[in-house]
Each structure stands twice: as structure tokens, then as C-alpha cells.
Amino acid sequence: MAAYTYRAYDADGRIVEGQLDSDTREAALDTLRRRGALPIEIAEGNTAEHSAGSWLDTLGGTRRPRRSDPALALATRELATLLSADLPLDEALRLLALQPSLPARMRRLFDDALARVLAGTSLSDALTAHPREIPELHWRLVAAGERSGNLAGTLGALAGFLERGVALRGKVRDALLYPMVLLAAALVALAIV
């Protein structure tokens, strides 16, 4: 039995934090739901370990996945397209693992996901094995798509969301470029004077 630290909304809508003992993460989530709580976050370990991890994440100690990763948006769009063409999931993952337009890290990720799916796990569970590459929102939406039976549609909507995030990030970067150049020129001129 392991200890799980959680954050959840209680029946009154307040955020509560605590710790509970359970055999698996899923059992801990079921326990919270039976208590009438809506889980936000649950992690294995005690509160002190969880706080230390959050503190390190804030300082950049561990890399969190970015939702605006262009490779993730491209891979999600391609997987949605392959599944909407009625390709079996294993074939779609195999094709993504061989896709030369994806970075090597994404190809390795899909190769591992393929091995896990062939071993009998769901795609969402296979994606949770890569927390440094796949954001939680991504695998949770994949799990919802699997449960609803509309994985291709869910992935298509998720791909659109990710693509808009990539485009917005590019627009913000482009909008900040000119003021940064002006600031650098002003600092150089001030240093010369």
C-alpha cells in the first residue's frame, strides 16, 4: 500500500489537500470520488516529497512538457488523421514511429507507446509513461476519447488546440522581437554615450 498526496475540490467547491493510503493511483482516485471530491492532482509520496518536487519544478529543476511544442502538435494531428482514416491504432503508432518529419525523441516515444499498446495497455496509459514529453491534459483527453469511442475526433480537436498554441507563441515571439531590438540598440547607444 502506498501513500498518495492529493489536491481536490470538495462538495462546497473549496480546494482541499491531503494524503491517503491506497494500493493504486486509480483506487485512490475512486476513493476521492466516493467521498464527493473532484480530484485536481494526485501524486504518489508524502506531502514533504510532493512539496519538494513542486519547489524544484518552480525553479526549473525538472522539465515540464510544453503544450506549445510544435512536434507534439504535428504528431497529434498525424495520429488523428491516421485514425480517422480507419487505420488500426497499432498501425498508426507504427507509422508515426517511422515518420521522418518528427524529431527522434517523438519517434522513440511512439515506438515505446506502440510496444505498450501491443502489450495490452491503453494509449492513454502508454502516454502517461512519458511525463517529460506529454502534458497531463494530452493523455487525459486521449483517455476521454478512448472511453467515448471517438479517439480520432478527440485527437483532432486536441491537435487544433495545440496548433493554436504554437501559432500564438510564434505571434508573441514575433511581436516582442522589434521592441527587444530597439531596447538593445538603446542600451548600446547609452553605453557609447
Side-chain angles (χ1 to χ4, degrees):
M1 203 169 267
Y4 288 90
T5 304
Y6 68 88
R7 287 181 52 214
Y9 289 107
D10 65 4
D12 298 328
R14 293 176 303 206
I15 294 180
V16 293
E17 296 181 358
Q19 188 173 352
L20 55 92
D21 293 328
S22 184
D23 292 329
T24 64
R25 186 174 189 272
E26 289 74 23
L29 287 169
D30 289 339
T31 302
L32 287 173
R33 289 187 189 112
R34 280 195 304 271
R35 291 180 184 174
L38 179 64
I40 302 170
E41 174 181 5
I42 189 162
E44 188 172 354
N46 64 30
T47 309
E49 291 171 355
H50 182 64
S51 299
S54 299
W55 180 73
L56 282 173
D57 289 348
T58 305
L59 291 178
T62 59
R63 181 184 175 275
R64 290 187 161 219
R66 293 184 331 192
R67 288 186 193 149
S68 60
D69 183 3
L72 183 60
L74 175 65
T76 304
R77 173 63 65 196
E78 289 183 0
L79 184 58
T81 303
L82 291 170
L83 291 176
S84 63
D86 291 330
L87 225 61
L89 179 60
D90 61 333
E91 280 299 315
L93 290 172
R94 189 172 285 113
L95 287 172
L96 278 177
L98 298 172
Q99 190 66 258
S101 62
L102 293 177
R105 64 184 168 81
M106 293 302 284
R107 291 195 306 267
R108 282 191 304 271
L109 184 148
F110 284 110
D111 193 36
D112 179 63
L114 172 63
R116 290 173 187 270
V117 166
L118 290 176
T121 64
S122 65
L123 177 60
S124 58
D125 288 341
L127 295 178
T128 59
H130 300 279
R132 295 177 61 93
E133 298 291 334
I134 306 292
E136 183 176 358
L137 171 73
H138 198 97
W139 61 261
R140 288 212 184 267
L141 284 173
V142 168
E146 288 172 336
R147 286 189 194 108
S148 69
N150 187 16
L151 183 58
T154 304
L155 284 171
L158 179 59
F161 172 74
L162 294 172
E163 289 163 352
R164 286 190 299 276
V166 169
L168 179 63
R169 185 180 177 92
K171 286 180 183 177
V172 168
R173 186 185 59 238
D174 292 345
L176 290 176
L177 182 62
Y178 183 67
M180 294 303 283
V181 169
L182 286 180
L183 180 63
L187 289 174
V188 168
L190 187 63
I192 292 174
V193 169

